[in-house]
Amino acid sequence: MALVEVRDVHKRFDQHEVLKGITLDVAAGEVVCVLGPSGGGKTTLLRCINHLEPIDRGTIHVDGEMVGYRLLPDGRLRREPDRVASARRARIGMVFQRFNLFAHLTALQNVCEAPIQVRHIPRAEALRRGVELLESVGLGDKTNAYPRQLSGGQQQRVAIARALAMDPRLILFDEPTSALDPELVGEVLDTMKRLARDGMTMIVVTHETGFAREVAHRIVMMDQGVVVEEAPPSIFFTAPRQDRTRAFLSKIL
């Protein structure tokens, strides 16, 4: 059974339909990279999987559970209370473009805040685990640094450690290197590669085609709210089936 099951998901903002019936499976331990032009619905899909945006139609299951909804016998969706949705969402990590660190907290405090407040892990245990995670992303010497004292690449690695602190089954990455100076991209991608080697299930919206070629088990191409094509990297980049995919690749490669 897939860890992530997206079925016929629709999402509209006012009159603009952003997702037009997305269906996607992601197996446990799989790395799926989502490529496509800006405005194609990639970020919205991630935010719907994590229930940061409500969906209008369809279903999303993560690890066998719907996040934020209950399916009624007549097929309609009923929103669950925020406390129920938050508890289920806690096992889905998310890493954003702009880091989203708390400026008034140190790197270690940023990593430990959610485990303490959401999962009610004892503070001493959360701090010990937080130090281990910062060491695992190469920031063991930055535990007491504030975000303003860190480079963009270091802040993003703190954000990855923060996501890992919740022991997620799945991590969603929304263009995690797009806000970084070019020389800082590699350190973040190296951290993500290590996660992939360790078997973390990841859905990565990215324009880093080298990373996608090397790490992804599967590439999904999205445009105008639909999945245009999906294939292993060896096929996607060398023998795409769809004209839209070929046109997109001709501009980015």
Coordinates of all heavy atoms in Angstrom, one line a residue, residues 97-132:
Q97 N 10.4 27.2 1.2 CA 11.4 28.0 0.5 C 12.2 28.9 1.4 O 13.4 29.0 1.4 CB 10.7 28.8 -0.6 CG 10.3 28.1 -1.8 CD 9.7 29.1 -2.8 OE1 10.2 30.2 -3.0 NE2 8.7 28.7 -3.6
R98 N 11.4 29.6 2.3 CA 12.0 30.7 3.1 C 12.3 30.3 4.5 O 12.3 31.2 5.4 CB 11.0 31.9 3.1 CG 10.8 32.5 1.7 CD 11.9 33.3 1.2 NE 11.8 33.8 -0.1 CZ 12.7 34.6 -0.7 NH1 13.8 34.9 -0.1 NH2 12.5 35.0 -2.0
F99 N 12.6 29.1 4.8 CA 13.0 28.6 6.1 C 12.0 28.6 7.2 O 11.8 27.6 7.9 CB 14.3 29.3 6.5 CG 15.3 29.7 5.4 CD1 15.8 31.0 5.5 CD2 15.6 28.9 4.4 CE1 16.7 31.4 4.5 CE2 16.4 29.3 3.4 CZ 17.0 30.5 3.4
N100 N 11.3 29.8 7.3 CA 10.3 29.9 8.4 C 10.7 29.6 9.8 O 10.0 29.0 10.6 CB 9.0 29.0 8.0 CG 8.2 29.6 6.9 OD1 8.7 30.5 6.2 ND2 7.0 29.0 6.7
L101 N 12.0 29.9 10.1 CA 12.5 29.7 11.4 C 12.0 30.9 12.3 O 11.7 32.0 11.9 CB 14.0 29.7 11.4 CG 14.7 28.6 10.6 CD1 16.2 28.8 10.7 CD2 14.2 27.2 11.1
F102 N 11.9 30.6 13.6 CA 11.5 31.6 14.6 C 12.8 32.5 14.9 O 13.8 32.0 15.4 CB 11.0 31.0 15.9 CG 9.7 30.3 15.7 CD1 9.6 28.9 15.8 CD2 8.5 31.0 15.5 CE1 8.4 28.3 15.7 CE2 7.3 30.4 15.3 CZ 7.2 29.0 15.4
A103 N 12.7 33.8 14.5 CA 13.9 34.6 14.7 C 14.4 34.8 16.1 O 15.6 35.0 16.3 CB 13.6 36.0 14.0
H104 N 13.5 34.7 17.1 CA 13.8 34.9 18.5 C 14.3 33.6 19.2 O 14.6 33.7 20.4 CB 12.6 35.5 19.2 CG 11.5 34.5 19.3 ND1 10.7 34.2 18.2 CD2 10.9 33.9 20.4 CE1 9.8 33.3 18.6 NE2 9.9 33.1 19.9
L105 N 14.4 32.5 18.4 CA 14.8 31.3 19.0 C 16.1 30.8 18.4 O 16.4 31.1 17.2 CB 13.8 30.1 18.8 CG 12.4 30.4 19.4 CD1 11.5 29.2 19.1 CD2 12.4 30.6 20.9
T106 N 16.9 30.2 19.2 CA 18.2 29.6 18.7 C 17.9 28.4 17.7 O 16.8 28.0 17.7 CB 19.1 29.1 19.8 OG1 18.5 28.0 20.4 CG2 19.4 30.2 20.8
A107 N 18.9 28.0 17.1 CA 18.8 26.8 16.2 C 18.2 25.6 17.0 O 17.3 25.0 16.5 CB 20.1 26.5 15.5
L108 N 18.8 25.4 18.1 CA 18.3 24.2 18.9 C 16.9 24.4 19.4 O 16.1 23.5 19.4 CB 19.3 24.0 20.1 CG 18.9 22.9 21.1 CD1 18.9 21.5 20.3 CD2 19.9 22.8 22.2
Q109 N 16.6 25.6 19.8 CA 15.2 25.9 20.2 C 14.2 25.7 19.1 O 13.1 25.2 19.3 CB 15.1 27.3 20.9 CG 15.8 27.4 22.2 CD 15.9 28.9 22.7 OE1 16.0 29.8 21.8 NE2 16.0 29.1 24.0
N110 N 14.6 26.2 17.9 CA 13.7 26.0 16.7 C 13.5 24.5 16.5 O 12.3 24.1 16.1 CB 14.4 26.6 15.5 CG 13.9 28.0 15.2 OD1 12.8 28.3 14.7 ND2 14.8 29.0 15.6
V111 N 14.5 23.7 16.6 CA 14.3 22.3 16.4 C 13.4 21.6 17.4 O 12.6 20.7 17.1 CB 15.7 21.6 16.3 CG1 15.6 20.1 16.3 CG2 16.5 22.1 15.1
C112 N 13.6 22.1 18.7 CA 12.9 21.4 19.8 C 11.5 21.9 20.1 O 10.7 21.2 20.8 CB 13.7 21.6 21.1 SG 15.3 20.7 21.0
E113 N 11.1 23.1 19.6 CA 9.9 23.7 19.9 C 8.7 22.8 19.7 O 7.8 22.5 20.6 CB 9.7 25.0 19.2 CG 8.5 25.8 19.6 CD 8.6 26.4 21.0 OE1 9.6 26.4 21.6 OE2 7.6 27.0 21.4
A114 N 8.5 22.2 18.5 CA 7.4 21.4 18.1 C 7.3 20.1 18.9 O 6.2 19.7 19.4 CB 7.3 21.2 16.6
P115 N 8.4 19.4 19.0 CA 8.3 18.1 19.8 C 7.9 18.4 21.3 O 7.1 17.6 21.8 CB 9.8 17.6 19.8 CG 10.3 18.1 18.5 CD 9.7 19.5 18.4
I116 N 8.3 19.5 21.9 CA 7.9 19.8 23.2 C 6.4 20.3 23.3 O 5.7 19.8 24.1 CB 8.8 20.9 23.8 CG1 10.2 20.4 24.0 CG2 8.3 21.4 25.2 CD1 11.2 21.5 24.4
Q117 N 6.0 21.2 22.4 CA 4.7 21.8 22.5 C 3.6 20.9 21.9 O 2.5 20.8 22.4 CB 4.7 23.1 21.7 CG 5.6 24.1 22.3 CD 5.3 24.5 23.8 OE1 4.1 24.5 24.2 NE2 6.3 24.8 24.6
V118 N 3.9 20.2 20.8 CA 2.9 19.4 20.1 C 2.9 17.9 20.5 O 1.8 17.4 20.8 CB 3.1 19.5 18.5 CG1 2.1 18.6 17.8 CG2 3.1 20.9 18.1
R119 N 4.1 17.3 20.6 CA 4.1 15.9 21.0 C 4.4 15.7 22.5 O 4.4 14.6 23.0 CB 5.2 15.2 20.2 CG 5.0 15.2 18.7 CD 5.9 14.3 18.0 NE 5.8 12.9 18.4 CZ 6.8 12.0 18.3 NH1 7.9 12.3 17.7 NH2 6.6 10.8 18.7
H120 N 4.6 16.8 23.2 CA 4.7 16.8 24.7 C 5.9 15.9 25.1 O 5.8 15.2 26.1 CB 3.4 16.3 25.4 CG 2.2 17.1 24.9 ND1 2.1 18.5 25.2 CD2 1.1 16.8 24.2 CE1 1.0 18.9 24.7 NE2 0.4 18.0 24.1
I121 N 7.0 15.9 24.3 CA 8.2 15.2 24.7 C 8.9 15.9 25.8 O 9.0 17.2 25.8 CB 9.1 15.0 23.5 CG1 8.4 14.1 22.5 CG2 10.5 14.5 23.8 CD1 9.2 13.9 21.2
P122 N 9.4 15.2 26.8 CA 10.1 15.9 27.9 C 11.2 16.8 27.4 O 11.9 16.4 26.4 CB 10.6 14.8 28.8 CG 9.7 13.6 28.5 CD 9.3 13.8 27.1
R123 N 11.4 18.0 28.0 CA 12.3 19.0 27.4 C 13.7 18.4 27.3 O 14.4 18.6 26.3 CB 12.3 20.2 28.4 CG 13.2 21.3 27.8 CD 13.0 22.6 28.7 NE 13.7 23.7 28.1 CZ 13.3 24.4 27.1 NH1 12.1 24.2 26.6 NH2 14.0 25.4 26.6
A124 N 14.2 17.7 28.3 CA 15.6 17.2 28.3 C 15.7 16.2 27.1 O 16.8 16.2 26.4 CB 15.9 16.5 29.6
E125 N 14.7 15.4 26.9 CA 14.8 14.4 25.8 C 14.8 15.1 24.5 O 15.6 14.8 23.5 CB 13.6 13.4 25.9 CG 13.6 12.4 24.8 CD 12.4 11.5 24.9 OE1 11.8 11.4 26.0 OE2 12.1 10.8 23.9
A126 N 13.9 16.2 24.3 CA 13.8 16.9 23.1 C 15.2 17.6 22.8 O 15.6 17.7 21.7 CB 12.7 17.9 23.2
L127 N 15.8 18.2 23.8 CA 17.0 18.9 23.6 C 18.1 17.9 23.2 O 19.0 18.3 22.3 CB 17.4 19.6 24.9 CG 16.6 20.8 25.3 CD1 16.9 21.4 26.7 CD2 16.7 22.0 24.3
R128 N 18.2 16.8 23.8 CA 19.2 15.8 23.4 C 19.0 15.4 22.0 O 20.0 15.3 21.2 CB 19.1 14.6 24.4 CG 20.1 13.4 24.0 CD 19.8 12.2 24.8 NE 18.4 11.7 24.6 CZ 18.0 11.1 23.5 NH1 18.9 10.9 22.5 NH2 16.8 10.7 23.4
R129 N 17.8 15.1 21.6 CA 17.5 14.7 20.2 C 17.8 15.9 19.3 O 18.3 15.7 18.2 CB 16.1 14.3 20.1 CG 15.6 14.0 18.7 CD 16.2 12.8 18.1 NE 15.6 12.4 16.9 CZ 16.2 11.8 15.9 NH1 17.5 11.5 16.0 NH2 15.6 11.5 14.8
G130 N 17.5 17.1 19.7 CA 17.8 18.3 18.9 C 19.2 18.4 18.6 O 19.6 18.7 17.4
V131 N 20.1 18.2 19.6 CA 21.5 18.3 19.3 C 22.0 17.3 18.3 O 22.8 17.5 17.4 CB 22.3 18.2 20.7 CG1 23.8 18.0 20.4 CG2 22.0 19.4 21.6
E132 N 21.5 16.0 18.5 CA 21.8 15.0 17.6 C 21.4 15.3 16.1 O 22.2 15.1 15.2 CB 21.1 13.7 18.0 CG 21.6 13.0 19.3 CD 20.9 11.8 19.7 OE1 19.8 11.5 19.0 OE2 21.3 11.1 20.6

